[in-house]
Amino acid sequence: SAVISQKPSRDICQRGTSLTIQCQVDSQVTMMFWYRQQPGQSLTLIATANQGSEATYESGFVIDKFPISRPNLTFSTLTVSNMSPEDSSIYLCSVDRQGYGYTFGSGTRLTVV
Amino acid sequence: GQQLNQSPQSMFIQEGEDVSMNCTSSSIFNTWLWYKQEPGEGPVLLIALYKAGELTSNGRLTAQFGITRKDSFLNISASIPSDVGIYFCAGLIPTSGTYKYIFGTGTRLKVLA
């Protein structure tokens, strides 16, 4: 399957700070997706990131809180800004690659204290 | 908005038993995906379904794309302890010029040896 590397794998952050999560794919992809998985819950799409254009955010998610960068076809970042304990979740990036299907990174487990 | 409901929410079964779970929606989908997620990992794609009525197997796993296109089923035969995890369905939704996947509520499977 497509190799997707996410960094960091986990972090504990103070409230009010920001964390940037990186997602690196082993080949070029048009679309990259960012999801949030709150404890014990399903996956909720945050936004879709296309290279060269602004990310498209889902209802309930805004750019000021979750800015996304997509500088090239193999890389994206998601920043969780001004964090509160409610932001404690697993954040996952995913890509849809021909022949590999819709695959996920191993996720970033964020705890906000 | 669209929702995918999975049932059962959780199940405890004996090793060697067969497992059935399903995913239903009030909306029509063109693609169904089934994933398994283990603790500390991202979801791993098990089976992809692209056509109504399609029946696809992956080892001991078999999934079907419902004729109405509003549901899908996953069966696991002769369960083993490593089948433990959370199983998610996902459906593809076309959006303006692109697409996205939404995820079901999940079925948590525990296998008793």
Side-chain angles (χ1 to χ4, degrees):
Chain A
S1 59
V3 175
I4 305 173
S5 301
Q6 261 188 256
K7 292 181 186 179
S9 58
R10 59 178 62 233
D11 207 341
I12 301 173
C13 299
Q14 296 289 326
R15 69 175 68 202
T17 63
S18 298
L19 176 71
T20 295
I21 301 167
Q22 299 179 6
C23 183
Q24 177 78 51
V25 189
D26 66 347
S27 66
Q28 295 182 344
V29 292
T30 304
M31 295 168 67
M32 296 178 77
F33 304 83
W34 287 98
Y35 285 82
R36 180 176 72 183
Q37 187 176 26
Q38 293 177 301
Q41 302 295 313
S42 183
L43 288 80
T44 301
L45 182 63
I46 298 172
T48 303
N50 289 345
Q51 192 266 337
S53 62
E54 284 200 5
T56 302
Y57 288 83
E58 295 298 302
S59 175
F61 297 96
V62 295
I63 188 170
D64 290 346
K65 176 66 176 177
F66 297 102
I68 287 172
S69 79
R70 184 78 203 273
N72 58 53
L73 290 172
T74 62
F75 188 77
S76 179
T77 67
L78 169 76
T79 298
V80 186
S81 303
N82 188 25
M83 289 183 283
S84 67
E86 292 70 35
D87 293 320
S88 297
S89 292
I90 301 171
Y91 292 85
L92 298 136
C93 70
S94 67
V95 301
D96 198 359
R97 256 182 63 186
Q98 184 79 17
Y100 293 95
Y102 197 62
T103 55
F104 285 85
S106 54
T108 296
R109 187 177 297 269
L110 171 63
T111 303
V112 184
V113 297
Chain B
Q2 290 99 337
Q3 267 190 309
L4 295 181
N5 298 307
Q6 284 186 245
S7 66
Q9 249 186 341
S10 63
M11 49 197 315
F12 289 79
I13 61 168
Q14 292 286 336
E15 183 177 0
E17 287 184 353
D18 296 343
V19 174
S20 290
M21 61 188 79
N22 66 61
C23 186
T24 60
S25 172
S26 57
S27 304
I28 289 174
F29 290 92
N30 294 327
T31 297
W32 288 94
L33 307 177
W34 282 94
Y35 289 86
K36 178 187 177 188
Q37 186 177 30
E38 298 185 22
E41 299 293 327
V44 174
L45 182 63
L46 300 173
I47 294 178
L49 302 160
Y50 300 106
K51 198 166 58 174
E54 180 180 351
L55 186 72
T56 298
S57 293
N58 178 7
R60 294 178 295 107
L61 278 62
T62 302
Q64 184 160 25
F65 193 142
I67 289 292
T68 65
R69 294 165 61 196
K70 293 182 179 181
D71 55 12
S72 180
F73 307 88
L74 177 69
N75 295 315
I76 306 173
S77 63
S79 58
I80 58 178
S82 62
D83 290 333
V84 165
I86 306 175
Y87 291 80
F88 291 102
C89 62
L92 185 150
I93 300 176
T95 61
S96 51
T98 182
Y99 63 93
K100 62 183 179 183
Y101 286 96
I102 62 169
F103 280 74
T105 48
T107 293
R108 191 178 298 266
L109 177 65
K110 296 199 176 178
V111 180
L112 306 173

